[in-house]
């Protein structure tokens, strides 16, 4: 059975920053980057977006997939090895941990978990039948498809993603409706300004989606005003969820302490988890900041924590 110093699980900014630091520290890290793990391409959430304008060092902005490609290249240059496989489970019972990818089992002294988070869906009646036939959880990936051109498109959510995706979809749609379940948005003020200045976007407040309608593809939505309980039909040929994310922690099978919503609990001020030698960084342990730069920052911390642990082990 192969034996490693450090296995990094994941492929977003957290995983690659950890790999860059661990590689430079001569820890010879091995990354399992995932093969469309949790429904997202290797490279993580930024592969599903267009322009990233808030990552330091890119004053003109950079495309999300390009930023991740660069991070991957830098990991390799710094000495990381990368395998495009998904980790199915890990066994943390013994001092030498085991990592399982299909029939491949690898032993390792330390693990950094950087598996991020995945877009949530609502699973309203009709959704499974019409999934990918007018319904998507990634406007940036699917918005340009012909079925959405010059059509009325609806985005559900109220955070930065919902605003970003609504704005993005105006490039293709005849009109975009943002369905918000409260009377206020969670999105940052700058994003809100962008939203309200876009004439192609209509915001419908205090309204929730209850059902999707259509035979071969989406034709309308049933919605309900939560203040008045009044139900109505919205004509729409596209529905895009932007309602947040679920941390990718199922493969841990309860071996690490998680919070009530499934995020890995880490000791404040470090990336230590409930098991010595296992560290967590990025969105999988952060439901507050959830940014590329904060993920990268905690990836750096995880590599330094792992290095210290290996030094004293
Ligand atoms: P993620 O990016 O979530 O990547 C983790 C990846 O690990 C997964 O996607 C998967 O490929 C892999 N993985 C998962 N499970 C396994 C497994 N079992 N085995 C192997 N591999 C696995 N932030 C910004 O700062 N600026 C922005 O402009 C910005 N725009 C965004 C736009 C969108 C549409 C979204 C959804 C997010 C955006 N964010 C932005 C947030 C940012 O993308 C995340 O905070 C960041 O990507 C989190 O990085 P991460 O390293 O924790 O993991
Ligand atoms: P958030 O968790 O921030 O927001 C989710 C939104 O969806 C909330 O407004 C929530 O409503 C709403 N919602 C949740 N469930 C439902 C439901 N069942 N029905 C209707 N609405 C629902 O997620 P985001 O994906 O927007 O953002 C995640 C992180 O990524 C954030 O940190 C964000 O800042 C970052 N990001 C940054 C970007 C940028 O800087 N350019 C772009 C995109 C994301 P409620 O408010 O009522 O809870």
């Amino acid at each position: 059975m192969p034996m490693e110093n450090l296995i990094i699980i994941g492929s977003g900014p957290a995983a690659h920053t950890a790999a860059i630091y661990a590689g430079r520290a001569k820890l010879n890290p091995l990354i399992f980057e995932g093969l469309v793990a949790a429904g997202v391409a290797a490279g993580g959430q930024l592969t599903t977006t267009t322009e990233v304008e808030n990552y330091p060092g890119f004053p003109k902005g950079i495309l999300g997939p390009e930023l991740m490609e660069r991070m991957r290249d830098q990991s390799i240059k710094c000495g990381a090895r990368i395998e495009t496989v998904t980790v199915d489970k890990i066994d943390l019972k013994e001092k030498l941990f085991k990592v399982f990818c299909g029939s491949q089992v690898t032993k390792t002294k330390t693990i950094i978990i950087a598996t991020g988070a995945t877009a949530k869906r609502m699973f309203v009646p009709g959704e499974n039948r019409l999934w990918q036939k007018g319904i998507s959880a990634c406007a940036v990936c699917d918005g340009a498809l012909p079925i959405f051109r010059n059509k009325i498109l609806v985005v559900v959510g109220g955070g930065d993603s919902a605003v970003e995706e609504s704005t993005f979809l105006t490039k293709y749609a005849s009109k975009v409706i943002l369905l918000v379940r409260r009377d206020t948005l969670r999105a940052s003020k700058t994003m809100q300004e962008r939203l309200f200045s876009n004439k192609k976007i209509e915001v419908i407040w205090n309204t929730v989606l209850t059902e999707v309608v259509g035979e071969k593809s989406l034709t309308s939505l049933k919605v309900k005003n939560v203040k008045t309980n009044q139900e109505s039909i919205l004509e729409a040929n596209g529905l895009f969820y932007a309602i947040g994310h679920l941390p990718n922690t199922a493969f841990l099978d309860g071996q690490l302490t998680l919070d009530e919503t499934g995020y890995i609990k880490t000791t404040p001020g470090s990336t230590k988890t409930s098991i010595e030698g296992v560290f967590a960084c990025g969105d999988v342990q952060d439901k507050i900041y959830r940014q590329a730069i904060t993920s990268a920052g905690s990836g750096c911390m995880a590599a330094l924590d792992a290095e210290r642990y290996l030094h004293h082990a």
Side-chain angles (χ1 to χ4, degrees), residues 10-14 34 37 44-46 54 87 115-117 164 282-283 290-292 295:
S11 53
Q45 293 174 63
L46 287 185
N54 51 12
V87 172
T115 46
E164 186 175 74
D283 283 12
R290 293 183 295 184
Q291 295 295 303
S295 297

Side-chain angles (χ1 to χ4, degrees), residues 55-96:
Y55 199 84
F58 299 95
K60 292 178 182 156
I62 181 166
L63 294 174
E66 189 189 341
L67 179 59
M68 293 321 302
E69 198 57 44
R70 286 181 181 222
M71 287 193 198
R72 192 179 190 277
D73 288 348
Q74 196 170 352
S75 291
I76 293 168
K77 183 171 177 287
C78 290
R81 294 158 294 142
I82 301 181
E83 290 188 24
T84 310
V85 290
T86 297
V87 172
D88 304 313
K89 59 175 182 170
I90 58 179
D91 183 344
L92 305 177
K93 284 196 274 302
E94 288 165 23
K95 199 88 187 144
L96 283 179

